[in-house]
Amino acid sequence: IKQFISDRIGVEVDELTDEVDIVGDLGCCGDDLDELIQEYAKQFNVEIADYLWYFHSEDEGHVNNIGRLFFRTPHDRVEHIAITPKLLFECANKGKWDIDYPNHKIPKFRLDGVVNIIFILLIVFIWIAKCSA
């Protein structure tokens, strides 16, 4: 497991303790984490249907998410759960993603995303208006 993590995110194996948080400590998040989890599931034959990304990492591009200033993202609505080499090892031995996530409610419709779209459309409209002038 540690060699797998090392190969995917470029961290030396000896830097990987059992409890290191791949997201919080090593900075593997967003799409990079998604790719890591997908490859992990394939390589170690782990069923990840119950994997809930937002407990572990923010969205890709979360820094540019203007909408999160007004509405909480899924990640902002739950408490962070670390993905560690120990957790990946345990799940690989069980053959399934085995985390008992706390009860929570995530809206089906993301208002932070709507704000982002409106912001982008506003910028485009302003740019078109300036070019037309």
Side-chain angles (χ1 to χ4, degrees):
I1 295 289
K2 289 180 181 178
Q3 187 62 56
F4 169 81
I5 295 167
S6 172
D7 292 345
R8 297 308 176 286
I9 64 174
V11 174
E12 295 296 324
V13 173
D14 59 350
E15 294 178 43
L16 297 171
T17 65
D18 288 346
E19 299 300 329
V20 68
D21 183 350
I22 292 170
V23 175
D25 297 329
L26 304 179
C28 181
C29 58
D31 290 345
D32 293 335
L33 180 64
D34 185 59
E35 289 172 15
L36 181 125
I37 294 297
Q38 296 299 324
E39 289 179 39
Y40 159 79
K42 238 184 250 181
Q43 184 167 333
F44 295 98
N45 197 28
V46 176
E47 173 56 52
I48 58 168
D50 294 331
Y51 171 72
L52 299 176
W53 65 269
Y54 49 87
F55 273 94
H56 309 288
S57 178
E58 296 184 279
D59 291 313
E60 184 74 17
H62 65 275
V63 174
N64 300 324
N65 184 347
I66 301 297
R68 82 182 302 184
L69 297 173
F70 306 99
F71 300 100
R72 293 185 300 160
T73 66
H75 179 73
D76 294 330
R77 294 173 180 270
V78 296
E79 190 169 327
H80 175 75
I81 297 174
I83 296 177
T84 64
K86 180 180 177 182
L87 172 69
L88 294 178
F89 179 78
E90 290 169 354
C91 290
N93 282 333
K94 293 176 184 176
K96 68 177 186 167
W97 192 258
D98 191 30
I99 293 183
D100 187 20
Y101 291 109
N103 287 334
H104 64 286
K105 184 171 177 138
I106 300 296
K108 293 181 192 266
F109 190 70
R110 300 247 335 242
L111 292 175
D112 61 305
V114 172
V115 171
N116 291 335
I117 292 169
I118 291 169
F119 182 73
I120 291 168
L121 291 174
L122 182 61
I123 297 297
V124 169
F125 177 74
I126 291 170
W127 180 75
I128 291 171
K130 282 187 176 186
C131 289
S132 298

